[in-house]
Amino acid sequence: MPPPDATPEVAASLGSARTSANPLLPLTVRGVCLQRSGRTLLDDVNFVLESRDIQVILGPNGAGKSLLLRVLHGLITPDQGTIDWGGRSPQLAQADLGMVLQRPVMLRRSVLANLTFALAHSRVPRQQRRQRALDALQRAELQDLAQQPAPRLSGGEAQRLAILRAWVQRPRVLFFDEPCANLDPRSTQKIEHLIREVHASGTQVILTTHDLTQARRLAGEVLFIANGRIQEQSAASTFFQSPASPEAAAYLEGQLLV
């Protein structure tokens, strides 16, 4: 369902779910391994994602969080193992997967043109693109910046535009890699609100963050990764109250994991 206060036009422009069930779930990951330069970066990763809650991947620096996102998306092919999106490989699911990076690259066009370009890429009819883009910008409080060159946006504004640019293409799954890194609290609040709206629209949200407070606010389920391995998968409330693995307990206590 779209957010309750969204008009039909805005819901359409922002990519509301096309069906009540997500055909890419469950996600089944089995025996995924990745090595580079003699180092094991992902080590026998196994998990099944069935919940439609917001999924947050936590872990120390260098644990493999961002790398795991790229493997799930199909941007990197693992050396071993399988990734199954509801019966499809990442390559076959590409059209339904989206990614918002920590430092998004803005097209050297206006804010509005960044969105109309994404809508054109999604084959939205030309006569519908401008209004859909304007509706989306209003939703993210960027409508007053529509004609401004996108590369001149602040960090928080650019991140909100990047989210819209991915979302208007109606992905079934949207990955967020550290979406609020180095942003001020107000920008973080606006981005978290937008992430919740993406999730409320029916799009599966999978994100990484170093911010435990943010994870507590957003997560429905947590995947904890350390040393390239999934150490724990549990409901967020369970993870934060009584982590099952020693590595997760140490991480939540602020201990340095090596």
Side-chain angles (χ1 to χ4, degrees):
M1 294 291 292
D5 55 342
T7 65
E9 293 79 9
V10 173
S13 69
L14 290 179
S16 56
R18 288 162 286 183
T19 63
S20 58
N22 193 324
L24 295 187
L25 297 181
L27 164 64
T28 304
V29 179
R30 290 286 179 255
V32 166
C33 298
L34 183 71
Q35 292 187 336
R36 290 291 185 270
S37 302
R39 294 179 56 217
T40 299
L41 304 178
L42 295 177
D43 185 10
D44 194 26
V45 172
N46 295 276
F47 65 91
V48 177
L49 190 158
E50 297 180 285
S51 169
R52 296 189 65 190
D53 291 336
I54 293 177
Q55 306 288 322
V56 174
I57 302 175
L58 291 175
N61 287 334
K65 301 185 298 296
S66 298
L67 191 59
L68 179 58
L69 284 193
R70 285 158 175 75
V71 168
L72 296 179
H73 192 291
L75 301 176
I76 298 175
T77 301
D79 299 315
Q80 298 178 35
T82 60
I83 300 165
D84 185 295
W85 286 102
R88 286 189 270 173
S89 68
Q91 288 70 32
L92 292 178
Q94 276 288 309
D96 287 326
L97 302 174
M99 176 84 78
V100 178
L101 300 173
Q102 180 178 334
R103 295 180 179 85
V105 176
M106 295 289 103
L107 299 178
R108 293 185 177 277
R109 307 179 183 194
S110 70
V111 169
L112 180 64
N114 266 258
L115 289 188
T116 55
F117 177 85
L119 290 165
H121 182 265
S122 297
R123 299 182 180 180
V124 172
R126 182 184 296 273
Q127 63 272 22
Q128 298 179 21
R129 294 173 198 164
R130 179 180 174 82
Q131 190 57 52
R132 284 197 183 190
L134 289 171
D135 289 340
L137 290 174
Q138 183 175 9
R139 194 68 174 168
E141 301 179 10
L142 293 173
Q143 67 274 17
D144 293 339
L145 302 176
Q147 301 307 323
Q148 180 171 315
R152 295 184 186 175
L153 295 176
S154 70
E157 292 164 348
Q159 192 65 292
R160 277 184 281 156
L161 178 57
I163 293 171
L164 292 179
R165 195 171 58 187
W167 192 15
V168 295
Q169 297 182 67
R170 301 189 177 187
R172 301 284 191 177
V173 177
L174 190 51
F175 299 100
F176 294 83
D177 191 11
E178 296 284 347
C180 300
N182 303 316
L183 296 181
D184 62 83
R186 180 160 178 77
S187 294
T188 295
Q189 182 182 44
K190 290 182 177 182
I191 289 168
E192 287 183 4
H193 177 74
L194 203 51
I195 290 171
R196 290 189 185 96
E197 292 203 7
V198 171
H199 175 248
S201 76
T203 297
Q204 179 70 48
V205 169
I206 303 175
L207 67 88
T208 68
T209 181
H210 283 104
D211 187 339
L212 290 178
T213 303
Q214 180 175 74
R216 290 176 187 270
R217 289 193 296 264
L218 292 177
E221 187 170 88
V222 170
L223 279 169
F224 179 74
I225 185 171
N227 299 315
R229 304 194 73 166
I230 299 296
Q231 307 287 343
E232 189 168 345
Q233 179 182 12
S234 63
S237 57
T238 300
F239 178 81
F240 288 113
Q241 292 172 14
S242 54
S245 65
E247 293 86 357
Y251 177 75
L252 291 175
E253 291 173 2
Q255 298 181 27
L256 182 62
L257 299 180
V258 293

